[in-house]
Amino acid sequence: MKLIKAVINPYKLDDVREALIDIGVNGVTITEVKGYGRQKGHTEIYRGTEYEIHFVPKLMLETVVPQDKLEDAMSIIVAHAKTGKPGDGKIFTFPVEKTVRIRTGESDQDAL
């Protein structure tokens, strides 16, 4: 099993979530985050005054998928989160050693 952590734009969440459901990804966790990458933030104008925004608001989508769905899930996230502009985000993957569903005690694949 693999943990996917994807940093995406907030307005792309519904598209990504619906596409992941279509391939059988049953659950995701979403966290509101702020950060910057190569773009180093941006400037905005509010009431005639220019402000530099150093930390851009994003969403961190986290989900655990079986190894055989990893590439499909990553492709879907890229396809549905991509705008072609700087700041589209990143995807990170990590190995998951053990998963347990607290309510039933099921483990690993059965717990997903």
Side-chain angles (χ1 to χ4, degrees):
M1 294 180 297
K2 296 287 186 175
L3 169 65
I4 297 174
K5 286 188 169 203
V7 179
I8 62 172
N9 285 308
Y11 60 90
K12 291 294 194 171
L13 176 61
D14 287 336
D15 294 340
V16 172
R17 185 187 63 83
E18 290 170 11
L20 287 172
I21 288 170
D22 289 344
I23 66 159
V25 174
N26 293 323
V28 298
T29 299
I30 303 299
T31 309
E32 293 180 2
V33 296
K34 292 182 180 184
Y36 67 88
R38 290 183 181 168
Q39 80 271 18
K40 306 282 191 271
H42 63 276
T43 57
E44 290 184 3
I45 297 176
Y46 179 71
R47 294 188 178 182
T49 305
E50 191 172 285
Y51 293 93
E52 284 196 31
I53 307 297
H54 296 287
F55 296 102
V56 181
K58 302 284 183 180
L59 294 179
M60 173 81 72
L61 179 147
E62 298 175 88
T63 188
V64 176
V65 298
Q67 180 69 43
D68 62 329
K69 286 189 180 181
L70 178 64
E71 292 301 322
D72 290 342
M74 289 176 60
S75 296
I76 281 172
I77 294 168
V78 168
H80 289 85
K82 184 177 182 177
T83 65
K85 298 176 184 169
D88 277 349
K90 293 240 183 352
I91 300 173
F92 307 95
T93 63
F94 305 89
V96 174
E97 292 181 25
K98 184 89 173 158
T99 302
V100 176
R101 183 176 307 207
I102 295 172
R103 179 177 54 88
T104 61
E106 295 170 297
S107 62
D108 300 325
Q109 295 284 87
D110 295 333
L112 295 181

